[in-house]
Amino acid sequence: MLYDVLIIGAGCTGVMTARLLSAKNVKVAVAEAGPDVAVGATAANSAIVHAGYDAKPGTLKAKLNVRGNRLMKELASTLGVECKGVGSHVVGFGDADLAMLEELLARGRANGVPDLEIIGQDRLRAMEPNISPEATHSLWAPTAAITCPYGITIAAAENAVTNGVDFYFNFRVTDASRAGNIHYITNGEDTLAARYVVNCAGVHSAEVAAILGENDFPITITPRRGEYFILDKAVGNLAHSTLFVCPSDRGKGILVSPTVDGNLIVGPNAYPIGDGDDRSTTAEGLAEITAGARRIMPTVPMNMAITSFAGVRATPNQYDFYLEASKQIPGVVHAVGVESPGFASSPATAEYLVGLLEESGLALTDKPDYIPTRRRDGNHIQWNRLTEEERAAKCRENPAYGKIVCRCETVTEGDLIDMLSAPIPAVTVDMMKKRLRAGMGRCQGGFCSPRVAALIAERTGRGLDEINKSGPGSWLVTKREEG
Amino acid sequence: MAAHKLIIIGGGPAGLSAAVAAVDAGLAPEDILVLERDSEPGGILNQCIHAGFGLHRFGEELTGPEYSGRYIAMARERGIPILCNAMVLSLTDDRRVTFVSPETGYTTVDAEAVILAMGCRERTRGALGIPGTRPSGVYTAGCAQRYINIEGYMPGRRVVILGSGDIGLIMARRMTLEGAKVLAVCEIMPYSGGLARNIVQCLDDFGIPLKLSHTVVQIHGRDRVEGVTVAAVDEANGRRPIPGTEEYFACDTLLLSVGLIPENELTRGAGITLDRMTNGASVNQFRETSAPGIYACGNVLHVHDLVDYVSEEADTAGRAAAARILGNAAPVVRSVKLTTGHGIRYTVPERIDLAEEPEDVRIFFRVTDVFKKVRLTVETAAGAILVNKAKSAAAPGEMESLTIPAAKLREVLASGTEEILVKLTETGGDKS
Amino acid sequence: MTTKELTCVVCPAGCRITVTLNDASAIESIEGYTCLRGKTYAANEVTHPVRTLTSTVPVMTAEGKKMLPVRTNAGIPRESLFEAMKIVRATAVKAPVHTGDILVADFIEPGTNLIACKDFE
């Protein structure tokens, strides 16, 4: 199979690009080092669709964030994914911060962010009763939104597969060669051939650029790790919108925000690390986040934390995203150093990358039979998001929807069975977790994960010892000793 | 909309026992519906295959499945309907129950009485915030227990256990007998949270070290657990890890037995008052919550160490619910509040509703620390002793109880006392 | 004279029992037990400790393979636990099986049986 376009990396940028191309008459593949889409920075970030005031005017970040904000909301609606326009506050503590808020306001207006305003303490407190009494002002950005970054990326990937895109998982690119205008990309075992290659490899994008043959590539990546806590849904309403502190040279600082699923998210810090795949948390980091969150919300109940995690961002040696067609290798387009607001920008970044491919000579025509939804028969909507009447009807139609497997997040057996035959079949515990939230609740899979694993094993005709949590090597159980 | 007189949420030992007691108190079995979320009744006992259940109830030592089997048989003999695979989605304080099951679909019923018997869940790694990677192989002890005892697979081969709760101790033995190597059990407290018998027969028998005042400070491994770092904690400094005491254990599995939390999402949703110490509903001696006609029993109310006491508590709730429905409950004359004094963490009940002719009331409680030689006392605010007993040892891991005799409660009723105090007095010997 | 401090494992009460042995390792006295089972346990524990073994064996049912909980109907010598597990692992049964059914007779010791702890029809 010769692909027209091979995308390396199935994070939000790569998947959004694949999805756009799937509407065109080209054959597209995505090679992903991990076991699923959205396993890197897309899986572990603040889950904010930033409004776009933060980026310096005139940069790609500014342009793509503001457009991405609008496109992300449209995409969520098209794919049946939840996205809530809760807005955001950059919270100022005293007059010293006011200058920064005014600068952000000016940047935002220059970037074309609608409806920005600086509000005073009374209004801020009326909107956010749990905010620190020391907070004096905020930059209110009503267009900021929250969604599930991996949820919408999975939905976009399903939409892409429905329209003919092939995904190759556990495919870590180790070498590349070129013959004529064909690129051969290999993981050491299998080789994929394509006329165009898009490097969306996130924290590994500079390494991939080198593998593709770039000499003196201008961008280097310093992986920067950020740690987070997720708090129980019982306290998810303590913040009504995303609460930032004033940004510094280390990023946007520690925020407190509701999540689209009703939890409270707290984090991140930001520390450079050597290994881009090191997503471990540290005692010091988690303590720092606790302290940071208390600055915004002194009463934040950290004892209600249900989990903590870390994400790794691809911080480049320049301010802006590096989105360029290769100057050395024809047919290669790079998306390197896509850090925050990389997720919020991703639908617009995808448009930009498709534009670069066209400029590089890729001819694109519309596919007449393009399907705009996740599946041929529409969007999959989970049982717990249906109305009472719809739930009742679904149970009558198929009793499997009447059996709850994950009690914390109300996931039914019917939902799980459905995901086994999705465009990207969910065959690991984590795939089910990311698609349906089974195991994401307060018991963290204590109840449902053995049941989910057993269902996958039964339905795929495998032993439980052959089911993984996520990638190869993440086995759950072994066989009992015999005799 | 269907009407059921008594809905029991949970078909484990508490729910089944309550149902049996309600029928034995005169309620028609067809007026009862037990809702069980699993595919069979019995609750968590189905996976607790170890022995030690039923010495009080049945005078013999049974395994979990045998104990629940007896209650399943009693419920069946009485013709009590049990609906399996049924999950309750919501409950209101006026006893409207919405549930879903493959058999009945999406259903709402109004009940005259509801008994909450949902049990508890395990505390997780996330709640502890153990730093490190997030590989597979980090299991709550109960989750691992399900893999081994219900699914028939081994959750790992080289194991470290954090927390010396009973399930963790039981799993240490179970996995050792199945050929796994249990390297250590770490307990952050200076004493075990499990029963002494389990330390002996689950750890000592197999030479498994119990590391008191130690905790896991880091989890290692990308795909599967590759090891954990254990450190001693400083008792005097908020049990923070002591730098320099770190020890690395190469293992593929970390089991957590770090506490149980009553499963009170429905209770909270109904606006029922919860007790801050137990995380269960605040109840009177009939186990009636702040919502009239809604009762709670078993581990959803407070975490028990013995299922025998769960059954006893469930009997109380079942009889009271039946009395409410049958209209033969004795009217309450006055309520007396129970308060905790020195050395007492909580009591259940928290309130005694006195009728004209009070009956004996058994008070369950846990102590705050490990003590040697104590006297446990229930007395009135004025210092009149209602009941007391001496014990050679008391520990938070073991539930205590004292029964206030009816005669003493008559005196309480007559005296006008509004508060009863439960306290512990140290009577010599060192606090350990 | 030696004394041994034991924690009784007969029931969850976990009584602390003191056994005094004379120089010939015979029991001189037993103190601290609160029931006769405890006294017997303590006497056994210092001479030949026994344990109830519980485990699971596969059972074939109409719905496929399930795990049947099993136990010994009496204590077996503590040092035989691993040997006993070998027999358990070699045991598999077919439904129907009922609580109390003897799966392996004379298990480890004559008169001791491995019995089923659950019903599978």
Side-chain angles (χ1 to χ4, degrees), chain A residues 222-240:
Chain A
T222 305
R224 202 153 61 153
R225 187 168 63 194
E227 297 164 78
Y228 294 90
F229 278 109
I230 297 285
L231 273 57
D232 194 285
K233 286 182 176 180
V235 295
N237 60 0
L238 289 182
H240 300 130

mmCIF file with all atom_site columns, all heavy atoms in Angstrom, chain A residues 222-240:
data_model
loop_
_atom_site.group_PDB
_atom_site.id
_atom_site.type_symbol
_atom_site.label_atom_id
_atom_site.label_alt_id
_atom_site.label_comp_id
_atom_site.label_asym_id
_atom_site.label_entity_id
_atom_site.label_seq_id
_atom_site.pdbx_PDB_ins_code
_atom_site.Cartn_x
_atom_site.Cartn_y
_atom_site.Cartn_z
_atom_site.occupancy
_atom_site.B_iso_or_equiv
_atom_site.pdbx_formal_charge
_atom_site.auth_seq_id
_atom_site.auth_comp_id
_atom_site.auth_asym_id
_atom_site.auth_atom_id
_atom_site.pdbx_PDB_model_num
ATOM 1   N N   . THR A 1 222 ? 12.676  20.499 24.572 1.00 0.00 ? 222 THR A N   1
ATOM 2   C CA  . THR A 1 222 ? 12.936  20.138 25.966 1.00 0.00 ? 222 THR A CA  1
ATOM 3   C C   . THR A 1 222 ? 11.621  19.639 26.559 1.00 0.00 ? 222 THR A C   1
ATOM 4   O O   . THR A 1 222 ? 10.688  20.421 26.719 1.00 0.00 ? 222 THR A O   1
ATOM 5   C CB  . THR A 1 222 ? 13.411  21.356 26.770 1.00 0.00 ? 222 THR A CB  1
ATOM 6   O OG1 . THR A 1 222 ? 14.549  21.905 26.108 1.00 0.00 ? 222 THR A OG1 1
ATOM 7   C CG2 . THR A 1 222 ? 13.764  20.974 28.189 1.00 0.00 ? 222 THR A CG2 1
ATOM 8   N N   . PRO A 1 223 ? 11.540  18.355 26.822 1.00 0.00 ? 223 PRO A N   1
ATOM 9   C CA  . PRO A 1 223 ? 10.296  17.860 27.423 1.00 0.00 ? 223 PRO A CA  1
ATOM 10  C C   . PRO A 1 223 ? 10.058  18.558 28.763 1.00 0.00 ? 223 PRO A C   1
ATOM 11  O O   . PRO A 1 223 ? 10.989  18.698 29.565 1.00 0.00 ? 223 PRO A O   1
ATOM 12  C CB  . PRO A 1 223 ? 10.558  16.361 27.629 1.00 0.00 ? 223 PRO A CB  1
ATOM 13  C CG  . PRO A 1 223 ? 11.707  16.028 26.730 1.00 0.00 ? 223 PRO A CG  1
ATOM 14  C CD  . PRO A 1 223 ? 12.536  17.281 26.648 1.00 0.00 ? 223 PRO A CD  1
ATOM 15  N N   . ARG A 1 224 ? 8.844   19.029 28.954 1.00 0.00 ? 224 ARG A N   1
ATOM 16  C CA  . ARG A 1 224 ? 8.538   19.719 30.203 1.00 0.00 ? 224 ARG A CA  1
ATOM 17  C C   . ARG A 1 224 ? 7.326   19.043 30.833 1.00 0.00 ? 224 ARG A C   1
ATOM 18  O O   . ARG A 1 224 ? 6.269   18.959 30.224 1.00 0.00 ? 224 ARG A O   1
ATOM 19  C CB  . ARG A 1 224 ? 8.261   21.204 29.922 1.00 0.00 ? 224 ARG A CB  1
ATOM 20  C CG  . ARG A 1 224 ? 8.469   22.064 31.127 1.00 0.00 ? 224 ARG A CG  1
ATOM 21  C CD  . ARG A 1 224 ? 8.837   23.484 30.776 1.00 0.00 ? 224 ARG A CD  1
ATOM 22  N NE  . ARG A 1 224 ? 7.787   24.136 30.002 1.00 0.00 ? 224 ARG A NE  1
ATOM 23  C CZ  . ARG A 1 224 ? 7.578   25.445 30.002 1.00 0.00 ? 224 ARG A CZ  1
ATOM 24  N NH1 . ARG A 1 224 ? 8.317   26.232 30.734 1.00 0.00 ? 224 ARG A NH1 1
ATOM 25  N NH2 . ARG A 1 224 ? 6.627   25.971 29.276 1.00 0.00 ? 224 ARG A NH2 1
ATOM 26  N N   . ARG A 1 225 ? 7.555   18.578 32.049 1.00 0.00 ? 225 ARG A N   1
ATOM 27  C CA  . ARG A 1 225 ? 6.508   17.774 32.693 1.00 0.00 ? 225 ARG A CA  1
ATOM 28  C C   . ARG A 1 225 ? 5.629   18.627 33.586 1.00 0.00 ? 225 ARG A C   1
ATOM 29  O O   . ARG A 1 225 ? 6.114   19.511 34.295 1.00 0.00 ? 225 ARG A O   1
ATOM 30  C CB  . ARG A 1 225 ? 7.166   16.669 33.509 1.00 0.00 ? 225 ARG A CB  1
ATOM 31  C CG  . ARG A 1 225 ? 6.186   15.672 34.100 1.00 0.00 ? 225 ARG A CG  1
ATOM 32  C CD  . ARG A 1 225 ? 6.894   14.476 34.644 1.00 0.00 ? 225 ARG A CD  1
ATOM 33  N NE  . ARG A 1 225 ? 7.769   14.840 35.745 1.00 0.00 ? 225 ARG A NE  1
ATOM 34  C CZ  . ARG A 1 225 ? 8.705   14.042 36.231 1.00 0.00 ? 225 ARG A CZ  1
ATOM 35  N NH1 . ARG A 1 225 ? 8.897   12.847 35.719 1.00 0.00 ? 225 ARG A NH1 1
ATOM 36  N NH2 . ARG A 1 225 ? 9.457   14.436 37.233 1.00 0.00 ? 225 ARG A NH2 1
ATOM 37  N N   . GLY A 1 226 ? 4.347   18.357 33.540 1.00 0.00 ? 226 GLY A N   1
ATOM 38  C CA  . GLY A 1 226 ? 3.403   19.039 34.415 1.00 0.00 ? 226 GLY A CA  1
ATOM 39  C C   . GLY A 1 226 ? 2.556   18.010 35.145 1.00 0.00 ? 226 GLY A C   1
ATOM 40  O O   . GLY A 1 226 ? 2.087   17.047 34.554 1.00 0.00 ? 226 GLY A O   1
ATOM 41  N N   . GLU A 1 227 ? 2.383   18.227 36.441 1.00 0.00 ? 227 GLU A N   1
ATOM 42  C CA  . GLU A 1 227 ? 1.630   17.267 37.257 1.00 0.00 ? 227 GLU A CA  1
ATOM 43  C C   . GLU A 1 227 ? 0.259   17.838 37.634 1.00 0.00 ? 227 GLU A C   1
ATOM 44  O O   . GLU A 1 227 ? 0.096   19.049 37.767 1.00 0.00 ? 227 GLU A O   1
ATOM 45  C CB  . GLU A 1 227 ? 2.425   16.921 38.514 1.00 0.00 ? 227 GLU A CB  1
ATOM 46  C CG  . GLU A 1 227 ? 3.735   16.231 38.190 1.00 0.00 ? 227 GLU A CG  1
ATOM 47  C CD  . GLU A 1 227 ? 4.697   16.222 39.361 1.00 0.00 ? 227 GLU A CD  1
ATOM 48  O OE1 . GLU A 1 227 ? 4.507   15.407 40.262 1.00 0.00 ? 227 GLU A OE1 1
ATOM 49  O OE2 . GLU A 1 227 ? 5.624   17.044 39.366 1.00 0.00 ? 227 GLU A OE2 1
ATOM 50  N N   . TYR A 1 228 ? -0.691  16.953 37.809 1.00 0.00 ? 228 TYR A N   1
ATOM 51  C CA  . TYR A 1 228 ? -2.077  17.350 38.083 1.00 0.00 ? 228 TYR A CA  1
ATOM 52  C C   . TYR A 1 228 ? -2.714  16.457 39.139 1.00 0.00 ? 228 TYR A C   1
ATOM 53  O O   . TYR A 1 228 ? -2.327  15.298 39.299 1.00 0.00 ? 228 TYR A O   1
ATOM 54  C CB  . TYR A 1 228 ? -2.926  17.182 36.827 1.00 0.00 ? 228 TYR A CB  1
ATOM 55  C CG  . TYR A 1 228 ? -2.606  18.085 35.673 1.00 0.00 ? 228 TYR A CG  1
ATOM 56  C CD1 . TYR A 1 228 ? -1.683  17.702 34.717 1.00 0.00 ? 228 TYR A CD1 1
ATOM 57  C CD2 . TYR A 1 228 ? -3.256  19.305 35.518 1.00 0.00 ? 228 TYR A CD2 1
ATOM 58  C CE1 . TYR A 1 228 ? -1.396  18.517 33.634 1.00 0.00 ? 228 TYR A CE1 1
ATOM 59  C CE2 . TYR A 1 228 ? -2.990  20.123 34.433 1.00 0.00 ? 228 TYR A CE2 1
ATOM 60  C CZ  . TYR A 1 228 ? -2.048  19.730 33.494 1.00 0.00 ? 228 TYR A CZ  1
ATOM 61  O OH  . TYR A 1 228 ? -1.781  20.534 32.421 1.00 0.00 ? 228 TYR A OH  1
ATOM 62  N N   . PHE A 1 229 ? -3.735  16.991 39.746 1.00 0.00 ? 229 PHE A N   1
ATOM 63  C CA  . PHE A 1 229 ? -4.668  16.204 40.561 1.00 0.00 ? 229 PHE A CA  1
ATOM 64  C C   . PHE A 1 229 ? -6.058  16.300 39.935 1.00 0.00 ? 229 PHE A C   1
ATOM 65  O O   . PHE A 1 229 ? -6.431  17.356 39.411 1.00 0.00 ? 229 PHE A O   1
ATOM 66  C CB  . PHE A 1 229 ? -4.802  16.787 41.972 1.00 0.00 ? 229 PHE A CB  1
ATOM 67  C CG  . PHE A 1 229 ? -3.729  16.383 42.925 1.00 0.00 ? 229 PHE A CG  1
ATOM 68  C CD1 . PHE A 1 229 ? -2.773  17.298 43.335 1.00 0.00 ? 229 PHE A CD1 1
ATOM 69  C CD2 . PHE A 1 229 ? -3.691  15.102 43.460 1.00 0.00 ? 229 PHE A CD2 1
ATOM 70  C CE1 . PHE A 1 229 ? -1.791  16.949 44.245 1.00 0.00 ? 229 PHE A CE1 1
ATOM 71  C CE2 . PHE A 1 229 ? -2.709  14.744 44.367 1.00 0.00 ? 229 PHE A CE2 1
ATOM 72  C CZ  . PHE A 1 229 ? -1.760  15.667 44.761 1.00 0.00 ? 229 PHE A CZ  1
ATOM 73  N N   . ILE A 1 230 ? -6.807  15.221 40.046 1.00 0.00 ? 230 ILE A N   1
ATOM 74  C CA  . ILE A 1 230 ? -8.235  15.260 39.722 1.00 0.00 ? 230 ILE A CA  1
ATOM 75  C C   . ILE A 1 230 ? -8.994  15.042 41.027 1.00 0.00 ? 230 ILE A C   1
ATOM 76  O O   . ILE A 1 230 ? -8.692  14.105 41.775 1.00 0.00 ? 230 ILE A O   1
ATOM 77  C CB  . ILE A 1 230 ? -8.620  14.148 38.718 1.00 0.00 ? 230 ILE A CB  1
ATOM 78  C CG1 . ILE A 1 230 ? -7.893  14.342 37.379 1.00 0.00 ? 230 ILE A CG1 1
ATOM 79  C CG2 . ILE A 1 230 ? -10.130 14.091 38.535 1.00 0.00 ? 230 ILE A CG2 1
ATOM 80  C CD1 . ILE A 1 230 ? -8.442  15.439 36.521 1.00 0.00 ? 230 ILE A CD1 1
ATOM 81  N N   . LEU A 1 231 ? -9.965  15.903 41.285 1.00 0.00 ? 231 LEU A N   1
ATOM 82  C CA  . LEU A 1 231 ? -10.752 15.787 42.515 1.00 0.00 ? 231 LEU A CA  1
ATOM 83  C C   . LEU A 1 231 ? -12.132 15.210 42.218 1.00 0.00 ? 231 LEU A C   1
ATOM 84  O O   . LEU A 1 231 ? -12.650 15.321 41.098 1.00 0.00 ? 231 LEU A O   1
ATOM 85  C CB  . LEU A 1 231 ? -10.880 17.162 43.195 1.00 0.00 ? 231 LEU A CB  1
ATOM 86  C CG  . LEU A 1 231 ? -9.747  17.546 44.166 1.00 0.00 ? 231 LEU A CG  1
ATOM 87  C CD1 . LEU A 1 231 ? -8.386  17.523 43.486 1.00 0.00 ? 231 LEU A CD1 1
ATOM 88  C CD2 . LEU A 1 231 ? -9.993  18.914 44.769 1.00 0.00 ? 231 LEU A CD2 1
ATOM 89  N N   . ASP A 1 232 ? -12.708 14.641 43.243 1.00 0.00 ? 232 ASP A N   1
ATOM 90  C CA  . ASP A 1 232 ? -14.001 13.967 43.162 1.00 0.00 ? 232 ASP A CA  1
ATOM 91  C C   . ASP A 1 232 ? -15.095 14.896 42.610 1.00 0.00 ? 232 ASP A C   1
ATOM 92  O O   . ASP A 1 232 ? -15.082 16.102 42.843 1.00 0.00 ? 232 ASP A O   1
ATOM 93  C CB  . ASP A 1 232 ? -14.384 13.522 44.573 1.00 0.00 ? 232 ASP A CB  1
ATOM 94  C CG  . ASP A 1 232 ? -15.516 12.520 44.577 1.00 0.00 ? 232 ASP A CG  1
ATOM 95  O OD1 . ASP A 1 232 ? -16.673 12.917 44.348 1.00 0.00 ? 232 ASP A OD1 1
ATOM 96  O OD2 . ASP A 1 232 ? -15.238 11.339 44.825 1.00 0.00 ? 232 ASP A OD2 1
ATOM 97  N N   . LYS A 1 233 ? -16.056 14.286 41.925 1.00 0.00 ? 233 LYS A N   1
ATOM 98  C CA  . LYS A 1 233 ? -17.178 15.051 41.378 1.00 0.00 ? 233 LYS A CA  1
ATOM 99  C C   . LYS A 1 233 ? -17.984 15.779 42.455 1.00 0.00 ? 233 LYS A C   1
ATOM 100 O O   . LYS A 1 233 ? -18.647 16.763 42.167 1.00 0.00 ? 233 LYS A O   1
ATOM 101 C CB  . LYS A 1 233 ? -18.120 14.119 40.610 1.00 0.00 ? 233 LYS A CB  1
ATOM 102 C CG  . LYS A 1 233 ? -17.565 13.686 39.279 1.00 0.00 ? 233 LYS A CG  1
ATOM 103 C CD  . LYS A 1 233 ? -18.540 12.809 38.538 1.00 0.00 ? 233 LYS A CD  1
ATOM 104 C CE  . LYS A 1 233 ? -17.984 12.476 37.168 1.00 0.00 ? 233 LYS A CE  1
ATOM 105 N NZ  . LYS A 1 233 ? -18.885 11.626 36.387 1.00 0.00 ? 233 LYS A NZ  1
ATOM 106 N N   . ALA A 1 234 ? -17.915 15.259 43.671 1.00 0.00 ? 234 ALA A N   1
ATOM 107 C CA  . ALA A 1 234 ? -18.659 15.900 44.759 1.00 0.00 ? 234 ALA A CA  1
ATOM 108 C C   . ALA A 1 234 ? -18.202 17.349 44.955 1.00 0.00 ? 234 ALA A C   1
ATOM 109 O O   . ALA A 1 234 ? -18.946 18.173 45.475 1.00 0.00 ? 234 ALA A O   1
ATOM 110 C CB  . ALA A 1 234 ? -18.482 15.108 46.054 1.00 0.00 ? 234 ALA A CB  1
ATOM 111 N N   . VAL A 1 235 ? -16.968 17.669 44.520 1.00 0.00 ? 235 VAL A N   1
ATOM 112 C CA  . VAL A 1 235 ? -16.463 19.031 44.685 1.00 0.00 ? 235 VAL A CA  1
ATOM 113 C C   . VAL A 1 235 ? -16.180 19.701 43.335 1.00 0.00 ? 235 VAL A C   1
ATOM 114 O O   . VAL A 1 235 ? -15.505 20.721 43.268 1.00 0.00 ? 235 VAL A O   1
ATOM 115 C CB  . VAL A 1 235 ? -15.205 19.064 45.585 1.00 0.00 ? 235 VAL A CB  1
ATOM 116 C CG1 . VAL A 1 235 ? -15.555 18.619 46.994 1.00 0.00 ? 235 VAL A CG1 1
ATOM 117 C CG2 . VAL A 1 235 ? -14.092 18.187 45.023 1.00 0.00 ? 235 VAL A CG2 1
ATOM 118 N N   . GLY A 1 236 ? -16.741 19.108 42.277 1.00 0.00 ? 236 GLY A N   1
ATOM 119 C CA  . GLY A 1 236 ? -16.496 19.628 40.929 1.00 0.00 ? 236 GLY A CA  1
ATOM 120 C C   . GLY A 1 236 ? -17.069 21.017 40.696 1.00 0.00 ? 236 GLY A C   1
ATOM 121 O O   . GLY A 1 236 ? -16.643 21.732 39.788 1.00 0.00 ? 236 GLY A O   1
ATOM 122 N N   . ASN A 1 237 ? -18.035 21.401 41.522 1.00 0.00 ? 237 ASN A N   1
ATOM 123 C CA  . ASN A 1 237 ? -18.665 22.711 41.303 1.00 0.00 ? 237 ASN A CA  1
ATOM 124 C C   . ASN A 1 237 ? -18.041 23.821 42.142 1.00 0.00 ? 237 ASN A C   1
ATOM 125 O O   . ASN A 1 237 ? -18.581 24.922 42.211 1.00 0.00 ? 237 ASN A O   1
ATOM 126 C CB  . ASN A 1 237 ? -20.172 22.620 41.579 1.00 0.00 ? 237 ASN A CB  1
ATOM 127 C CG  . ASN A 1 237 ? -20.445 22.189 43.010 1.00 0.00 ? 237 ASN A CG  1
ATOM 128 O OD1 . ASN A 1 237 ? -19.510 21.957 43.782 1.00 0.00 ? 237 ASN A OD1 1
ATOM 129 N ND2 . ASN A 1 237 ? -21.700 22.085 43.373 1.00 0.00 ? 237 ASN A ND2 1
ATOM 130 N N   . LEU A 1 238 ? -16.905 23.552 42.772 1.00 0.00 ? 238 LEU A N   1
ATOM 131 C CA  . LEU A 1 238 ? -16.270 24.611 43.556 1.00 0.00 ? 238 LEU A CA  1
ATOM 132 C C   . LEU A 1 238 ? -15.745 25.728 42.657 1.00 0.00 ? 238 LEU A C   1
ATOM 133 O O   . LEU A 1 238 ? -15.620 26.873 43.085 1.00 0.00 ? 238 LEU A O   1
ATOM 134 C CB  . LEU A 1 238 ? -15.132 24.041 44.409 1.00 0.00 ? 238 LEU A CB  1
ATOM 135 C CG  . LEU A 1 238 ? -15.564 23.176 45.590 1.00 0.00 ? 238 LEU A CG  1
ATOM 136 C CD1 . LEU A 1 238 ? -14.355 22.721 46.386 1.00 0.00 ? 238 LEU A CD1 1
ATOM 137 C CD2 . LEU A 1 238 ? -16.542 23.928 46.495 1.00 0.00 ? 238 LEU A CD2 1
ATOM 138 N N   . ALA A 1 239 ? -15.414 25.389 41.419 1.00 0.00 ? 239 ALA A N   1
ATOM 139 C CA  . ALA A 1 239 ? -15.066 26.413 40.428 1.00 0.00 ? 239 ALA A CA  1
ATOM 140 C C   . ALA A 1 239 ? -16.088 26.318 39.304 1.00 0.00 ? 239 ALA A C   1
ATOM 141 O O   . ALA A 1 239 ? -16.458 25.221 38.892 1.00 0.00 ? 239 ALA A O   1
ATOM 142 C CB  . ALA A 1 239 ? -13.666 26.188 39.886 1.00 0.00 ? 239 ALA A CB  1
ATOM 143 N N   . HIS A 1 240 ? -16.558 27.465 38.848 1.00 0.00 ? 240 HIS A N   1
ATOM 144 C CA  . HIS A 1 240 ? -17.538 27.457 37.752 1.00 0.00 ? 240 HIS A CA  1
ATOM 145 C C   . HIS A 1 240 ? -16.876 27.680 36.407 1.00 0.00 ? 240 HIS A C   1
ATOM 146 O O   . HIS A 1 240 ? -17.442 27.379 35.371 1.00 0.00 ? 240 HIS A O   1
ATOM 147 C CB  . HIS A 1 240 ? -18.611 28.519 38.011 1.00 0.00 ? 240 HIS A CB  1
ATOM 148 C CG  . HIS A 1 240 ? -19.343 28.279 39.294 1.00 0.00 ? 240 HIS A CG  1
ATOM 149 N ND1 . HIS A 1 240 ? -19.529 29.238 40.252 1.00 0.00 ? 240 HIS A ND1 1
ATOM 150 C CD2 . HIS A 1 240 ? -19.879 27.152 39.794 1.00 0.00 ? 240 HIS A CD2 1
ATOM 151 C CE1 . HIS A 1 240 ? -20.167 28.711 41.282 1.00 0.00 ? 240 HIS A CE1 1
ATOM 152 N NE2 . HIS A 1 240 ? -20.385 27.450 41.033 1.00 0.00 ? 240 HIS A NE2 1
#
